[in-house]
Amino acid sequence: MAQQAQQEMINTLVTNAVEAVEAQLDEQIEKYEKMDDDDLEAIRERRIKQMQKLQAQKQEYKNLGHGTYDTITNEKEFFELSKKSDRMVCLFYTDTALRCKIVDKHFQTLCQKHYETRFLRLNAEKAPFLTDRLKIRVIPTIVMVKDANICDRIVGFDELGGVENFPTSLLEWRIAQNKVINYSGDLSRPPVEEVKEKKTINIQRNLRTVEHSSDSELDD
């Protein structure tokens, strides 16, 4: 009996939800049916203006270098670009840290999806003052800038599941936590429940296999 009553309650809830959705649709249909040509033209014009505004904004971002993933060569560039772009994401890398190549691949995708944010990379060894000032000790480190202020950072891969084969969507979600990029998903939970088993990269060096599966420490 209890199970039957529970099922009836569920059926009632589902029915009520369906009826509520149908009522909303009927209201929208009725609203559109009452519109005359002038109303529809006004909606069309608003939509065109919105599209034109978005296109103009995208072009403005493009003029600032957004939409590409570029390498900067010194600290001066970092500070100058952080003042030109409201939002910026910068990878601090070294040529010997293999995990930086993984971040490069993800950033090449994200920079084209998020024109609103500038994506850059800077060799930490060529920016000792900035690296020391930001207390960067682990490579890769991703630094996020908003309104010319450091607002967040991702150190290594620990926050990305501690693995090398994390999806781009997970990195995107993590970067979005402080609104450094526009994100339409749910910020309260990551877009993936879990990542695959830890994957290592093997390199043949002098006929000996050397395993690399962790972040690199930056030498003083």
Side-chain angles (χ1 to χ4, degrees):
M1 292 294 293
Q3 186 175 359
Q4 182 178 356
Q6 185 178 19
Q7 186 61 47
E8 289 177 355
M9 182 181 296
I10 293 173
N11 292 339
T12 300
L13 291 173
V14 171
T15 300
N16 290 340
V18 171
E19 290 177 350
V21 172
E22 289 178 345
Q24 290 178 353
L25 289 174
D26 290 340
E27 184 179 348
Q28 287 293 328
I29 292 172
E30 184 179 357
K31 179 180 178 181
Y32 284 120
E33 286 178 345
K34 289 181 179 180
M35 287 183 176
D36 55 24
D37 292 341
D38 291 338
D39 293 328
L40 294 174
E41 183 62 25
I43 292 175
R44 179 175 173 274
E45 289 180 0
R46 284 200 300 270
R47 180 57 179 161
I48 290 175
K49 288 181 179 179
Q50 289 175 348
M51 292 175 66
Q52 289 174 337
K53 183 178 180 180
L54 289 173
Q55 187 61 34
Q57 190 176 53
K58 185 175 181 179
Q59 185 59 48
E60 182 180 349
Y61 286 140
K62 192 173 182 179
N63 293 340
L64 291 172
H66 293 219
T68 60
Y69 179 43
D70 300 314
T71 300
I72 56 177
T73 58
N74 55 59
E75 296 143 336
K76 183 180 179 181
E77 282 188 90
F78 180 91
F79 291 117
E80 289 178 346
L81 293 175
S82 69
K83 294 176 182 177
K84 291 181 179 179
S85 297
D86 293 335
R87 293 180 283 184
M88 189 174 83
V89 179
C90 184
L91 166 67
F92 282 77
Y93 76 97
T94 61
D95 292 329
T96 56
L98 299 177
R99 285 190 165 190
C100 294
K101 302 296 183 183
I102 298 172
V103 178
D104 287 338
K105 182 179 179 181
H106 292 299
F107 275 13
Q108 286 165 359
T109 299
L110 291 175
C111 73
Q112 297 178 43
K113 181 177 180 181
H114 294 282
Y115 260 82
E116 70 279 4
T117 302
R118 186 77 191 268
F119 284 82
L120 302 166
R121 66 200 298 268
L122 174 61
N123 191 323
E125 294 175 333
K126 295 181 179 180
F129 169 76
L130 184 58
T131 299
D132 183 65
R133 180 176 175 181
L134 298 180
K135 295 180 173 58
I136 294 174
R137 298 290 180 267
V138 174
I139 298 296
T141 288
I142 298 170
V143 171
M144 286 158 269
V145 182
K146 187 164 62 175
D147 298 326
N149 293 306
I150 306 294
C151 65
D152 198 1
R153 69 177 64 197
I154 303 172
V155 179
F157 283 2
D158 286 349
E159 295 183 68
L160 302 169
V163 297
E164 296 171 348
N165 59 335
F166 60 86
T168 303
S169 59
L170 181 60
L171 178 58
E172 179 184 31
W173 172 83
R174 176 59 187 84
I175 292 174
Q177 292 302 306
N178 277 286
K179 297 181 173 57
V180 182
I181 57 175
N182 296 336
Y183 188 74
S184 58
D186 184 1
L187 285 173
S188 65
R189 56 184 300 173
V192 290
E193 294 298 330
E194 60 183 0
V195 292
K196 296 177 182 178
E197 292 182 4
K198 191 168 185 177
K199 178 181 175 184
T200 60
I201 299 175
N202 293 322
I203 297 179
Q204 290 290 337
R205 183 180 299 162
N206 297 329
L207 301 179
R208 181 170 58 90
T209 301
V210 182
E211 186 180 74
H212 295 263
S213 61
S214 60
D215 304 309
S216 303
E217 292 187 0
L218 190 64
D219 294 331
D220 294 329

